[in-house]
Amino acid sequence: MEVVHEAGTRMNDAVDAIRREFDTVRTGKAVPSILDGVRVEAYGGRMPLNQVATVSAPDPALLAVQPFDPSLIGAIEKAVLSAGLGLNPSNDGTLIRVPIPPLSEERRQEYARLLHRMAEEGRVSVRHSRQAANGRIRRMLKEHEIGKDEARRMMGEIQKATDERVRRIDDLLAAKEKEVMAI
């Protein structure tokens, strides 16, 4: 039973990771999680943006970045600009405003393809968890720790869990793709 539980936990972790990755994909509206991957050169190292500033979305087409330490405003602006997100921040001395431009149709399709690649990586991760669990069950069967019926039942549970997690990833993909393709 422990094998089934561990496999389910690993599969849930894969789904959560995909959900977080999907959040970083830009849609037509301002969402603070777009900047989650931005790293700022601060205090002698590279730190995540959310550790040096507060990111908010005051309106659907704008992100506001409020640094905790005003001396980092230039570094934060530079980090957002160089993050490869296609965003152009503006700095008024105390606050960084990041306008979110509308996506072109070509860019929307590019993001949709990226989402499909991310989802496939998530499905592969879930399947790897299934494969590892099934391998452990086969080893237990071979070493006579469990019987054939118990092994078959456990593998069936793991397959059900795999199907459920893959379905969840597909649902997340469909929702995010709809959000990206919406004009």
Side-chain angles (χ1 to χ4, degrees):
M1 253 352 248
E2 180 185 318
V3 175
V4 174
H5 179 72
E6 281 180 28
T9 302
R10 275 203 214 102
M11 290 176 191
N12 286 338
D13 291 346
V15 172
D16 291 343
I18 288 300
R19 184 176 290 118
R20 283 190 305 275
E21 275 191 57
F22 280 1
D23 285 345
T24 65
V25 175
R26 204 176 115 203
T27 59
K29 62 183 181 196
V31 181
S33 60
I34 292 170
L35 300 178
D36 281 355
V38 175
R39 299 262 186 245
V40 179
E41 203 62 49
Y43 310 116
R46 294 181 58 75
M47 301 181 74
L49 178 64
N50 62 6
Q51 290 184 7
V52 296
T54 303
V55 181
S56 61
D59 73 58
L62 181 73
L63 289 175
V65 181
Q66 178 72 53
F68 300 136
D69 178 357
S71 68
L72 294 176
I73 201 157
I76 292 171
E77 184 178 18
K78 182 179 173 189
V80 172
L81 195 57
S82 63
L85 298 170
L87 302 174
N88 295 311
S90 64
N91 164 358
D92 70 6
T94 58
L95 184 73
I96 298 172
R97 288 180 177 77
V98 184
I100 306 295
L103 296 174
S104 66
E105 186 61 29
E106 183 179 309
R107 196 79 167 132
R108 289 176 195 283
Q109 290 172 352
E110 190 177 311
Y111 281 142
R113 285 191 295 275
L114 174 66
L115 289 170
H116 280 274
R117 276 196 303 273
M118 289 175 170
E120 187 54 34
E121 288 171 14
R123 289 185 206 106
V124 167
S125 179
V126 167
R127 290 181 193 126
H128 279 299
S129 298
R130 176 190 61 196
Q131 195 173 16
N134 284 347
R136 281 184 60 194
I137 291 170
R138 284 189 200 98
R139 217 174 5 267
M140 290 167 72
L141 181 63
K142 186 177 179 182
E143 294 170 5
H144 304 291
E145 293 176 29
I146 58 173
K148 286 183 181 180
D149 290 341
E150 179 69 7
R152 192 173 301 116
R153 187 189 60 73
M154 290 169 70
M155 285 182 175
E157 284 183 36
I158 289 170
Q159 184 60 48
K160 260 190 239 167
T162 302
D163 295 342
E164 161 66 23
R165 288 359 179 264
V166 167
R167 192 171 28 263
R168 263 196 244 164
I169 289 172
D170 290 343
D171 292 346
L172 287 170
L173 172 64
K176 187 66 175 190
E177 189 175 23
K178 182 179 176 188
E179 193 178 321
V180 166
M181 296 309 283
I183 297 176

